[in-house]
Amino acid sequence: MDIASKTGKPIMRPMFFDYYQDENCYTLEDQYMYGEDILFAPIVEQGQEQREVYLPEGNWIHVFDGKTHTGGQIIICPAKLHEFIAFVKEGSEAIKIFDILLEK
């Protein structure tokens, strides 16, 4: 997260900040990036157990099941009450933050 202090880029930012060439990212109202490599897609409706998640270009690893998904598409992602929906860009060391979730 040194980027924030060195460049002034916000840590939490809208999807189009990093994927400005992807028109789909301008339409996403509740997905966001945390740094350059972590994508969050919060559950926003009471009782909601799944949601659509748009993954921009690249490969993305789901932090709860470790599965890799190809970007440039919308996927349906389940989330239990005690879970959140997050993906880490493949190749990023940020996946280590979520290692405890993958050790289940």
Side-chain angles (χ1 to χ4, degrees):
M1 294 298 150
D2 290 339
I3 291 173
S5 62
K6 291 179 182 175
T7 67
K9 293 180 180 178
I11 294 173
M12 280 181 64
R13 49 202 187 213
M15 299 287 296
F16 62 79
F17 189 89
D18 292 296
Y19 298 95
Y20 54 87
Q21 74 284 4
D22 187 335
E23 292 181 18
N24 293 313
C25 290
Y26 289 89
T27 66
L28 303 171
E29 296 180 6
D30 56 2
Q31 285 186 213
Y32 62 92
M33 297 296 296
Y34 191 83
E36 297 176 333
D37 300 321
I38 305 172
L39 183 159
F40 281 100
I43 295 290
V44 295
E45 300 291 330
Q46 184 175 354
Q48 188 176 359
E49 296 179 355
Q50 65 180 18
R51 68 161 287 167
E52 290 184 347
V53 178
Y54 177 73
L55 301 173
E57 68 180 26
N59 291 321
W60 295 88
I61 302 168
H62 187 274
V63 301
F64 275 96
D65 64 18
K67 292 181 182 174
T68 301
H69 301 269
T70 303
Q73 66 173 330
I74 294 173
I75 63 170
I76 302 296
C77 196
K80 297 177 184 162
L81 182 61
H82 63 281
E83 293 179 345
F84 53 87
I85 298 173
F87 292 85
V88 174
K89 194 159 195 172
E90 187 176 57
S92 171
E93 290 191 24
I95 194 67
K96 293 177 184 176
I97 297 167
F98 301 98
D99 279 349
I100 194 167
L101 300 175
L102 296 172
E103 293 175 359
K104 294 190 256 178

